[in-house]
Amino acid sequence: MKKSLLFLLAIVFVGCSHKVDISKIDTINGYWQISKVIDGEGNKKEYPINETYDYFQIKNKKGFHKKVLWQPDGTFLVNDLQEDLNIIVKKDDVVLDFSSKFGKHQDKLESISEEEMVIVSKEAVKFYYSKVILNSESKDGKKN
């Protein structure tokens, strides 16, 4: 009986896995900060405060990603380093294909909402991001 119940729970869990809705991929646009990282062995590291944010900008499944440094006056220090970003749909997965003059890599976009994004590396490291709403932006992303 216990084995049957565990098997049924496993099927329900796998069947309910959340897929990324590619039609909402523009949700990635904007500033994000890493809130925690969980490695493949389950070790977790929290990031309660970050000075470095990740900025994503895509349109029609193409765009870029760059790191920006937050300043106390609410602005960001930006340099010329960025990664080109292409969104690829492979079967049921949404893959972020990054490339720059320093190399290439692909990560899986596991989930995304207006508040949180989870990206998984090939090494099974999960990066949890929180959306950053700037003071001059409203909830819908428009400048006030």
Side-chain angles (χ1 to χ4, degrees):
M1 177 71 176
K2 285 185 181 181
K3 287 182 181 179
S4 298
L5 182 60
L6 287 174
F7 180 72
L8 181 61
L9 286 174
I11 290 173
V12 169
F13 179 74
V14 171
C16 293
S17 63
H18 181 69
K19 294 179 185 173
V20 174
D21 181 355
I22 193 66
S23 70
K24 303 203 188 271
I25 196 65
D26 288 346
T27 305
I28 199 171
N29 289 332
Y31 296 93
W32 297 82
Q33 65 180 11
I34 293 178
S35 57
K36 68 182 171 185
V37 176
I38 301 176
D39 69 19
E41 298 172 1
N43 300 312
K44 178 168 53 169
K45 182 170 182 179
E46 301 278 344
Y47 292 87
I49 299 174
N50 292 310
E51 291 180 358
T52 304
Y53 291 18
D54 289 77
Y55 180 75
F56 294 86
Q57 184 64 51
I58 62 161
K59 185 174 182 177
N60 298 323
K61 299 182 185 174
K62 294 182 184 278
F64 67 90
H65 162 252
K66 68 182 346 179
K67 298 281 189 181
V68 296
L69 187 62
W70 181 82
Q71 300 296 292
D73 67 358
T75 61
F76 293 95
L77 282 179
V78 181
N79 60 30
D80 292 336
L81 300 176
Q82 71 181 32
E83 296 177 296
D84 291 329
L85 174 59
N86 290 304
I87 308 298
I88 302 169
V89 178
K90 290 184 177 180
K91 296 183 183 179
D92 291 332
D93 292 335
V94 174
V95 176
L96 306 177
D97 183 46
F98 298 97
S99 64
S100 73
K101 61 183 178 182
F102 301 108
K104 295 181 176 194
H105 65 98
Q106 290 186 338
D107 296 329
K108 177 184 170 189
L109 181 61
E110 183 174 275
S111 66
I112 191 164
S113 70
E114 294 291 331
E115 295 85 28
E116 183 180 67
M117 172 171 62
V118 180
I119 296 176
V120 182
S121 73
K122 284 190 175 187
E123 295 80 21
V125 177
K126 288 188 178 188
F127 297 87
Y128 290 79
Y129 289 84
S130 296
K131 185 78 170 226
V132 177
I133 303 297
L134 303 177
N135 288 339
S136 64
E137 290 182 352
S138 65
K139 193 75 165 153
D140 61 6
K142 295 179 181 173
K143 297 275 183 189
N144 290 330

